[in-house]
Amino acid sequence: MLTGRESLLRVIGKRRRSLPNRQNLLSAPTPDSLNLEVNDSGNLISPAGDNGSFPTSPDDSSKFSDDLSVSRKKKKRRLTQTTLLQWSGSKQSEDSPLIHTQHQQQQQSILERSDSICCKLDDDDSCSEEVSKTVALDEANGEVVQTFIVGRKFSEVQDLETGAKIFLLRHPENIKDRNAIKVLSADSELSEMLGYLPKDVSQCLSPLIDEYDLKFEGTITSVPKNSSEAVPIKIVCHKMTSDGWKESGFAGEDFKLLWENVLQVVEHQLQFPPKTTRYQMNFNVLVQEVLRSCSHLLTTDEKAFLESFPSLSEDSQRLFIRLYTRKGPWFRLSNISYPEVSDSLQAMKDLTGMGFMTSVEDANDLSYQMMKEITELLNVTELRDILSMNKVFSRGSRKRDLINSLCSYYNDGTRQNIGTMILERTGLCAKISSTAESLIWRVERLFFLNREQDLSSFVLLDLGIIKYPTYKCIDSEQIFSNRTKLLAYEEAIEVAQLMDESLDSEDSGIVLKCIMIAETRISSSSSESALFNCFTAPWVYSKMVLLGVSFLENQKRYNQAVYLLRRLLSCFNCDGRRGYWTVRLSTDLEHMGRPNESLSVAEQGLLDPWVRAGSRIALQRRILRLAKPPRRWKTPTFPNLIDNKIPEVTIQGRSLNCEVGMKNRFYGEDGEQCGVEQLALQYYNGEGGGWQGMHTESSIWLTIFSLLMWDILFSDVPGVFQTRFQTAPLDLDTESFYLTRKETIESQLEKVANGMAEEILIISYETHRGTACRGVAWERFSLEELRAAVACVGGKCVASLCRYLAQDYRSWCSGMPDLLLWRFKENGYEGEAKLVEVKSEKDRLSEQQRAWLLLLMDSGFIVEICKVRPACV
């Protein structure tokens, strides 16, 4: 894969079905600063005077396409949104979407927590009137709360009556929910159970019942037609009179906060009653939150469009969300069937009338592009029927071959006939409208701030598959201060997706067009703060330019690659990527036969404070190699490279394969196949010194860092938490992370250095176990292994390593040694540790790995390089 492609894919995330500005981007004239031309075959034409060369023969061209490896890597199938939506009624987490908290924090204000997860829906003045109607104070009987009876399937009582009396009873023995509250009939002598209170309500109401011994009674306000549906009820606490808490003795702030929690949840539930499916509620929460917090980024028409969604029928809302999360773009109505959607046809008509979907029934409305997309809905038998009726011969029998044959036959003369045949077989077809798709895409982007997360994140949270940390969102400044910046950012992502698609299709012309667009749009560095810099158009274009550098280097177009690298360095003066750019620039200049200039670039790079870690070591090594007489009469000295010799040990193993480009495999001491790391572990466990150990690389150290710094990572810092779905603060990869929290970080590191690391680790592990956090690999390491690592490495070394990560997480979060080894002394308390980088015979250290080894040696760690070579036969 081209360097920089994977990073760009993370920016793009899930590809959009269509790009609104595709034609404008491709047709708009772009200054060719790179002087690049493409021939009829889509290959670059080498201009006169360029030292690089490019394959022109068909054989060379195909070989080049293979070398690029531009197609996306196939990934393991993960839980898709559609799959997850099927589970929306199954096991849920203990935390509701509105109240994300742990049991020990139940007495915290929901108002505070709703701020912390950016999901407060009660700021709108329009809600105040509804609240006064639904949650009111009854002067005679006490505080009235309207809610529902759910879980009717657990009750044997089928027939209910409006006005029937009920009362509440705690059910802490419920193994699925310790906060469960039963609803019992007060009219029957046996006090038959009618169901339960909703989980969100019982979670807040149960502490009041347990701690203040409150008694609730009420009545059934209406009876639904379906016996399994939620039953509306009204409950009253008679201890709470119109004079407030004074008469009841509950004047404390804790009680007031708990009662406010109940009112908040009831209000939210009245907006989204239990009959609302979980994914439907989540989607509405997403839309409402964006309307609340990002209204300045939306036009009046866009806001009106989004505000119209809740007015749609339940079926229409559910159908739209279901189809939006599917691949599409077109859907056959005959194939749409969801148990929670009672009338798909009427829902489709309503969505089409409101502009959320587009449908086609008449062949006259079928354009070539629409026909090509709708043809994908036909099965092989239907395609063969249409082809045979039109006497069209297909060269292949696969579905793709049949579709291509049908599309090639489609023209102005056959449009009516072919279109009619297609629609006769598909029936009514519909797709998400371009307006709705573009707007919902924007809403998701604004809500999650990335495209790696989507609506499935809600479901994963509801099911308890993922649990996010608890933190507060403290507003500081808007990520997008105005609509212009948002639109520029969106267009940059469009260009990035266009470039990615063109790499997949090996369309060099469009790839070069995207490179030129990106190059012209990074003319000046962004004025945004480092915290929000990654949400700017220039930052996205810089990713594309770097990918363009890799694209050109693969074609040996070093002149153009050097130009792009100089542009990046001139436009982004304070960027952690400057080190890599400088190394590439120096390397490409040497490829062009300009060693003096290459040396000068390397020397200037060492003066750049943003050149760090492996990039700095790479430049030092280049200078040592290039700075020889007559270029430099005085050879430079770098003590960290020359004085610090990394210890090495060589072991032998029976090789299973020695093929170039394949990972080496060996026979272990037990006769089983293993890699070089497992072979090294066996050696160190035996004749190598009786060490225990594991293959960890960077993972264990990032886990230890996050656990030791947990409270600091999720401390109250303005602006670093924008959504409820974050696993780290936004500034973790920036210098401001350490500078903003310097005092608390140094205080924590002092405790670690003084021997408290193991105690802090145990408390953090047991408190937050299973909670998603960047860098923490819960499934890989047990608490015993983490304790052994911390105890044997020593507090001072652990504190030193954590300080480097806190100061520059981005530069130091990768490249750590492969193995962590430890052994305890006879007393069982004291121990020692060793970090080992394992290399096969033909492998060599990367500059990042070398930088880590040298840094660890300076910090007091014991490090070693273990080289594995095949045993002589």
Side-chain angles (χ1 to χ4, degrees):
M1 181 177 284
L2 294 174
T3 302
R5 178 114 189 248
E6 187 174 352
S7 178
L8 190 67
L9 292 178
R10 287 195 295 270
V11 174
I12 299 169
K14 181 183 176 182
R15 284 181 178 176
R16 302 176 67 172
R17 292 190 182 98
S18 60
L19 299 177
N21 299 313
R22 177 189 292 268
Q23 294 302 322
N24 292 336
L25 292 171
L26 294 178
S27 60
T30 305
D32 189 359
S33 307
L34 302 177
N35 191 27
L36 300 175
E37 296 182 12
V38 182
N39 60 20
D40 295 337
S41 301
N43 296 325
L44 280 173
I45 300 175
S46 178
D50 190 358
N51 294 332
S53 60
F54 181 74
T56 55
S57 67
D59 294 339
D60 291 341
S61 179
S62 61
K63 180 177 181 298
F64 168 70
S65 299
D66 294 336
D67 292 340
L68 277 181
S69 301
V70 295
S71 60
R72 287 191 172 207
K73 292 183 177 180
K74 292 183 179 179
K75 299 181 179 179
K76 293 182 179 179
R77 184 180 182 271
R78 66 182 180 91
L79 294 173
T80 62
Q81 293 184 43
T82 304
T83 306
L84 288 169
L85 292 181
Q86 307 291 348
W87 298 349
S88 60
S90 60
K91 175 182 176 292
Q92 296 178 3
S93 67
E94 295 180 356
D95 301 331
S96 72
L98 180 65
I99 312 168
H100 182 65
T101 181
Q102 299 176 352
H103 285 298
Q104 62 266 32
Q105 295 173 314
Q106 286 177 344
Q107 296 186 9
Q108 183 181 1
S109 168
I110 275 199
L111 180 60
E112 179 181 336
R113 280 176 286 171
S114 62
D115 285 342
S116 71
I117 60 178
C118 299
C119 189
K120 192 170 69 173
L121 302 176
D122 57 337
D123 287 351
D124 197 335
D125 294 337
S126 61
C127 297
S128 59
E129 183 179 353
E130 181 181 354
V131 173
S132 64
K133 293 179 180 179
T134 57
V135 185
L137 189 67
D138 188 300
E139 293 291 339
N141 298 319
E143 188 94 18
V144 177
V145 175
Q146 297 185 36
T147 181
F148 301 87
I149 303 176
V150 297
R152 292 279 293 131
K153 63 182 178 180
F154 299 108
S155 173
E156 296 181 358
V157 180
Q158 298 298 321
D159 297 328
L160 300 177
E161 294 182 2
T162 302
K165 295 181 179 180
I166 58 172
F167 68 95
L168 305 184
L169 180 67
R170 280 280 285 116
H171 187 207
E173 299 83 10
N174 191 313
I175 59 175
K176 292 187 176 181
D177 183 9
R178 302 297 182 187
N179 297 311
I181 299 177
K182 289 182 178 181
V183 180
L184 304 178
S185 172
D187 292 333
S188 64
E189 296 181 359
L190 300 177
S191 299
E192 296 175 297
M193 189 189 77
L194 306 180
Y196 291 88
L197 287 187
K199 191 171 185 178
D200 295 353
V201 177
S202 62
Q203 186 174 346
C204 294
L205 202 57
S206 57
L208 285 169
I209 296 176
D210 294 342
E211 297 180 27
Y212 298 94
D213 194 28
L214 296 185
K215 305 298 181 183
F216 288 87
E217 298 177 351
T219 57
I220 296 175
T221 57
S222 64
V223 179
K225 295 181 180 179
N226 190 336
S227 60
S228 62
E229 290 184 5
V231 180
I233 61 173
K234 178 172 61 176
I235 57 176
V236 180
C237 178
H238 290 288
K239 285 189 178 183
M240 300 180 61
T241 65
S242 58
D243 293 328
W245 297 291
K246 293 182 180 180
E247 288 188 7
S248 58
F250 304 136
E253 289 298 324
D254 290 342
F255 180 85
K256 292 181 180 180
L257 288 176
L258 286 172
W259 186 250
E260 288 297 325
N261 292 354
V262 176
L263 301 185
Q264 290 270 347
V265 174
V266 168
E267 175 194 347
H268 178 265
Q269 192 176 74
L270 291 173
Q271 294 177 352
F272 304 105
K275 66 178 180 179
T276 304
T277 58
R278 179 66 70 172
Y279 68 83
Q280 180 185 354
M281 183 187 72
N282 292 337
F283 186 85
N284 278 282
V285 166
L286 181 147
V287 172
Q288 294 299 322
E289 168 58 20
V290 171
L291 283 172
R292 182 189 70 83
S293 61
C294 303
S295 60
H296 65 290
L297 302 175
L298 304 172
T299 65
T300 303
D301 290 341
E302 290 172 343
K303 285 187 281 189
F305 188 81
L306 292 175
E307 289 167 352
S308 69
F309 186 80
S311 66
L312 294 171
S313 66
E314 299 289 329
D315 280 352
S316 298
Q317 292 185 41
R318 294 167 186 169
L319 182 61
F320 177 81
I321 300 168
R322 283 285 196 176
L323 297 183
Y324 179 78
T325 55
R326 286 176 56 178
K327 183 179 179 180
W330 287 91
F331 306 96
R332 297 170 73 161
L333 180 62
S334 57
N335 290 344
I336 296 175
S337 176
Y338 298 109
E340 69 272 26
V341 180
S342 58
D343 190 345
S344 298
L345 177 60
Q346 185 59 46
M348 185 82 73
K349 290 180 179 179
D350 293 344
L351 288 168
T352 302
M354 294 291 289
F356 285 89
M357 298 199 70
T358 302
S359 61
V360 58
E361 293 181 276
D362 190 344
N364 292 322
D365 300 331
L366 206 60
S367 65
Y368 175 78
Q369 183 61 32
M370 292 171 62
M371 184 279 301
K372 192 174 180 181
E373 293 174 351
I374 293 177
T375 305
E376 299 285 346
L377 302 177
L378 299 173
N379 57 40
V380 173
T381 302
E382 292 170 333
L383 287 168
R384 285 175 177 167
D385 288 345
I386 295 176
L387 289 173
S388 62
M389 292 177 66
N390 289 276
K391 298 181 181 180
V392 178
F393 173 74
S394 176
R395 295 184 178 181
S397 58
R398 297 179 304 174
K399 182 176 180 178
R400 178 53 49 197
D401 298 327
L402 298 175
I403 291 176
N404 291 338
S405 299
L406 184 59
C407 291
S408 63
Y409 180 69
Y410 184 89
N411 54 50
D412 292 337
T414 62
R415 176 180 301 173
Q416 182 71 27
N417 185 36
I418 295 292
T420 302
M421 291 182 177
I422 292 174
L423 292 180
E424 283 177 353
R425 286 157 178 79
T426 61
L428 177 63
C429 295
K431 70 171 184 176
I432 304 295
S433 68
S434 58
T435 300
E437 185 166 352
S438 297
L439 196 51
I440 301 302
W441 180 89
R442 177 179 298 163
V443 167
E444 281 190 309
R445 196 91 193 193
L446 289 171
F447 186 86
F448 293 107
L449 299 179
N450 61 68
R451 281 301 291 170
E452 294 180 316
Q453 293 175 309
D454 48 37
L455 285 170
S456 61
S457 299
F458 279 102
V459 186
L460 293 171
L461 178 63
D462 293 341
L463 296 174
I465 297 175
I466 292 181
K467 183 180 180 181
Y468 289 94
T470 301
Y471 48 77
K472 293 181 182 179
C473 290
I474 304 175
D475 294 336
S476 58
E477 57 180 303
Q478 294 284 349
I479 292 181
F480 299 102
S481 58
N482 55 60
R483 181 178 172 85
T484 302
K485 292 183 178 180
L486 173 64
L487 295 180
Y489 176 69
E490 290 181 352
E491 186 169 275
I493 295 175
E494 280 194 58
V495 180
Q497 179 175 329
L498 184 59
M499 183 177 184
D500 183 48
E501 292 174 349
S502 302
L503 286 171
D504 276 351
S505 60
E506 299 183 7
D507 191 335
S508 298
I510 296 182
V511 171
L512 295 173
K513 177 76 172 180
C514 293
I515 294 173
M516 289 185 286
I517 292 173
E519 182 269 326
T520 58
R521 297 186 181 184
I522 58 168
S523 56
S524 60
S525 181
S526 174
S527 59
E528 299 293 328
S529 64
L531 181 61
F532 300 143
N533 191 44
C534 60
F535 300 107
T536 62
W539 186 83
V540 178
Y541 288 126
S542 71
K543 294 276 188 181
M544 298 174 57
V545 171
L546 180 59
L547 180 56
V549 169
S550 180
F551 179 82
L552 294 168
E553 286 175 342
N554 270 274
Q555 302 183 20
K556 302 189 184 306
R557 304 286 295 189
Y558 298 117
N559 271 352
Q560 286 75 27
V562 165
Y563 172 79
L564 291 179
L565 288 166
R566 291 190 189 278
R567 290 277 292 133
L568 288 172
L569 288 167
S570 65
C571 292
F572 297 88
N573 298 318
C574 301
D575 197 300
R577 300 170 292 174
R578 287 179 62 85
Y580 179 77
W581 299 341
T582 304
V583 173
R584 292 310 316 154
L585 177 58
S586 178
T587 303
D588 288 346
L589 287 170
E590 187 179 5
H591 285 320
M592 295 172 63
R594 294 151 66 176
N596 289 328
E597 195 172 348
S598 174
L599 176 59
S600 297
V601 168
E603 291 173 334
Q604 290 297 317
L606 292 183
L607 303 177
D608 190 338
W610 291 94
V611 177
R612 302 164 181 170
S615 298
R616 192 166 194 83
I617 297 296
L619 291 178
Q620 289 176 345
R621 286 165 57 81
R622 290 190 63 79
I623 291 173
L624 288 175
R625 183 170 57 82
L626 294 174
K628 296 177 180 178
R631 295 192 193 100
R632 300 290 185 273
W633 292 103
K634 183 178 180 180
T635 304
T637 58
F638 301 110
N640 61 324
L641 285 178
I642 299 174
D643 297 341
N644 293 338
K645 297 296 183 181
I646 304 172
E648 293 185 5
V649 63
T650 302
I651 64 175
Q652 293 184 341
R654 290 189 299 154
S655 178
L656 180 65
N657 69 312
C658 295
E659 297 181 24
V660 178
M662 293 185 64
K663 188 174 180 65
N664 290 335
R665 302 288 295 173
F666 291 85
Y667 289 106
E669 294 180 1
D670 55 0
E672 299 293 329
Q673 297 181 21
C674 64
V676 290
E677 294 85 5
Q678 288 72 29
L679 188 65
L681 283 172
Q682 294 177 8
Y683 163 77
Y684 283 107
N685 186 250
E687 61 181 287
W691 297 87
Q692 300 180 61
M694 54 183 151
H695 180 201
T696 65
E697 297 184 353
S698 302
S699 184
I700 193 170
W701 302 111
L702 298 182
T703 298
I704 290 173
F705 169 79
S706 296
L707 290 176
L708 293 178
M709 297 289 174
W710 191 286
D711 292 340
I712 297 173
L713 282 169
F714 300 104
S715 58
D716 298 341
V717 177
V720 299
F721 292 108
Q722 298 284 332
T723 80
R724 78 168 90 170
F725 297 100
Q726 288 181 227
T727 58
L730 290 177
D731 64 344
L732 181 58
D733 286 327
T734 68
E735 283 192 325
S736 67
F737 175 78
Y738 177 79
L739 297 176
T740 304
R741 308 165 180 82
K742 184 175 181 179
E743 184 176 344
T744 55
I745 289 175
E746 289 300 331
S747 175
Q748 185 79 339
L749 293 180
E750 185 178 356
K751 295 178 183 178
V752 171
N754 292 335
M756 294 181 62
E758 193 171 352
E759 179 183 348
I760 297 172
L761 185 74
I762 293 172
I763 295 174
S764 182
Y765 187 95
E766 293 179 345
T767 304
H768 306 294
R769 185 174 184 179
T771 302
C773 176
R774 182 174 172 184
V776 178
W778 297 106
E779 71 287 350
R780 287 194 61 182
F781 308 112
S782 65
L783 179 58
E784 289 72 23
E785 290 171 333
L786 296 172
R787 290 179 61 185
V790 169
C792 293
V793 168
K796 292 184 178 180
C797 289
V798 172
S800 177
L801 185 147
C802 289
R803 180 175 288 106
Y804 281 109
L805 286 172
Q807 291 174 340
D808 193 357
Y809 192 91
R810 186 180 186 277
S811 296
W812 294 109
C813 65
S814 62
M816 301 184 192
D818 293 315
L819 307 182
L820 168 63
L821 308 174
W822 69 86
R823 59 186 177 189
F824 287 96
K825 296 181 180 179
E826 294 181 359
N827 59 20
Y829 298 101
E830 298 179 354
E832 57 181 335
K834 178 189 292 188
L835 279 69
V836 180
E837 183 65 41
V838 184
K839 293 295 177 185
S840 58
E841 185 180 28
K842 298 180 181 180
D843 202 0
R844 64 177 184 175
L845 289 175
S846 70
E847 303 301 351
Q848 182 70 7
Q849 291 169 340
R850 189 182 302 276
W852 255 119
L853 291 170
L854 293 173
L855 181 71
L856 292 170
M857 290 175 63
D858 291 340
S859 301
F861 286 81
I862 302 174
V863 301
E864 191 170 84
I865 299 175
C866 178
K867 293 187 175 180
V868 182
R869 67 180 184 184
C872 297
V873 181

